[in-house]
Amino acid sequence: MKSIVKKEHLFIALAVVVFSGCKKLYNLPDEKDYLSNNVNFSNKILEPIIGRNNLIGGFNGDNSTAPITFEIVNARFGDGRPVSDIFQRVPTYVWTAPYTGLEKSLAEIEAKRKLEEHSLLEIRSSGQFILWASATNQLINPRPTDSTNFSQDTRFFDVKVKNTGGERLIKDFQIRPFRERPYEPSNDFNAYTGLPAPDPKFPLDKKLRDYIRPYLNNVIGANSNKNLVSNNDQKDVVVYIRPFTGGNGHSLRIKALNKDSVEINPAFFNETVWEKMIHGFNMQKTDKYVQYDVAYPIPLVEIPTSYATGGSRAKAELSYSRGSFGGGRIIANFGIDFAIYRAGDWEIVFHFKTDNPKFVSE
């Protein structure tokens, strides 16, 4: 038995020597990686929104051998003009440590990210495209305001896919960037023009426009004594997300206006947990608004946290209670799920347009 095993080992060793000798004798090439002829992308028309991080596309390697490299080449407009704007290198925030939502200060957040130089559009090692949030309408011309997709206005490019087994050229990707939408919901302005959006029910009436609409629960009108609503038919309450002046460059303010456009004292919203609503710091509570120091964007990262349970949206919710018949309490609340992508001083304003909320007990 031992003799048989020794003979098998001897045979294997001899085969290795012979193969090595044949390889040298006949100059056989090294084994190459496999690159399929069917490598492709799930989407060749990219429609990112300028001003936010956009991860787009899915690469199908069809069992090709990793690692695979990708390169964007031959960028041009449809009429042959070269494209260069999407490859400008600008300072871009990247995370160097995980954001958790548990950070206790702006300094702790900023210590977890840094500015690096990146091309506005890149393709990652995974085959995903990224248009970085550092892109602006000034750096990249958005798609035409008339919503057309003429070839001369469209940026085309090809992608070179490569490993040691060879390379493939996948042609005619298109990128059609939408102009900046610095916040969500953004149904209050036109995605192509940036101008106020028309009223969805009366789109031809220039005197009317669309608004961001909050959710409302048990919010009763002080005069009507009816539930206030906000929909296409009736807009008792609307929301504005807008910049304000006089901030420190990284603040968020939340306030409510009555039907006369006068600020409602936040003290009326007696069930609101202001300290846990926003991942912000140095909260200021006045008789007109509540304000936080924040890091932008909001949410900072699209992961679930106590401030953004779904990951992609934070929540601004105001809540209050009042006495009901029989000695109980009625809990009412209203709010929106939102995101803000551009740094600055922003305010979220709930405007009671037709009737004020009822705070008095029954």
Side-chain angles (χ1 to χ4, degrees), residues 117-325:
E117 291 275 324
H118 281 269
S119 295
L120 295 177
L121 178 69
E122 294 179 336
I123 186 167
R124 295 185 152 185
S125 58
S126 63
Q128 281 185 306
F129 299 95
I130 182 167
L131 183 71
W132 289 97
S134 48
T136 65
N137 292 341
Q138 289 71 42
L139 293 174
I140 298 177
N141 284 329
R143 60 197 304 166
T145 57
D146 59 5
S147 75
T148 56
N149 291 311
F150 293 130
S151 178
Q152 64 266 26
D153 299 321
T154 302
R155 298 168 181 85
F156 293 83
F157 61 86
D158 307 327
V159 172
K160 185 183 295 185
V161 181
K162 186 177 180 180
N163 67 9
T164 62
E167 66 179 51
R168 307 283 183 266
L169 188 66
I170 303 178
K171 294 185 175 183
D172 297 331
F173 289 81
Q174 300 178 39
I175 180 168
R176 305 172 183 170
F178 279 98
R179 69 178 50 250
E180 290 180 74
R181 300 207 288 270
Y183 55 80
E184 294 291 346
S186 59
N187 58 285
D188 57 333
F189 65 88
N190 185 291
Y192 292 94
T193 66
L195 298 175
D199 186 287
K201 196 166 185 180
F202 304 101
L204 300 181
D205 191 334
K206 301 299 183 182
K207 299 188 297 295
L208 301 177
R209 56 165 297 176
D210 200 5
Y211 291 95
I212 301 170
R213 295 184 283 276
Y215 60 83
L216 300 136
N217 297 304
N218 293 326
V219 179
I220 304 298
N223 295 322
S224 67
N225 212 35
K226 294 181 179 179
N227 280 296
L228 300 183
V229 298
S230 190
N231 54 40
N232 286 348
D233 297 313
Q234 186 174 334
K235 300 179 183 66
D236 293 326
V237 190
V238 299
V239 177
Y240 317 124
I241 302 177
R242 62 193 186 190
F244 72 89
T245 59
N248 56 18
H250 51 83
S251 57
L252 178 67
R253 180 178 290 180
I254 298 174
K255 66 182 182 182
L257 304 177
N258 67 17
K259 63 185 181 65
D260 298 317
S261 297
V262 176
E263 289 90 349
I264 300 173
N265 192 326
F268 281 104
F269 305 110
N270 56 3
E271 299 288 345
T272 303
V273 186
W274 297 101
E275 295 80 4
K276 296 183 179 180
M277 183 191 303
I278 302 295
H279 195 187
F281 312 95
N282 304 322
M283 187 181 76
Q284 305 170 44
K285 190 175 182 182
T286 74
D287 61 354
K288 298 180 184 298
Y289 58 79
V290 174
Q291 183 171 312
Y292 308 84
D293 291 345
V294 295
Y296 285 101
I298 300 174
L300 278 160
V301 179
E302 291 195 2
I303 60 168
T305 68
S306 60
Y307 303 102
T309 55
S312 62
R313 296 287 186 270
K315 184 184 292 291
E317 180 176 278
L318 279 61
S319 180
Y320 60 97
S321 64
R322 58 192 186 88
S324 64
F325 292 112

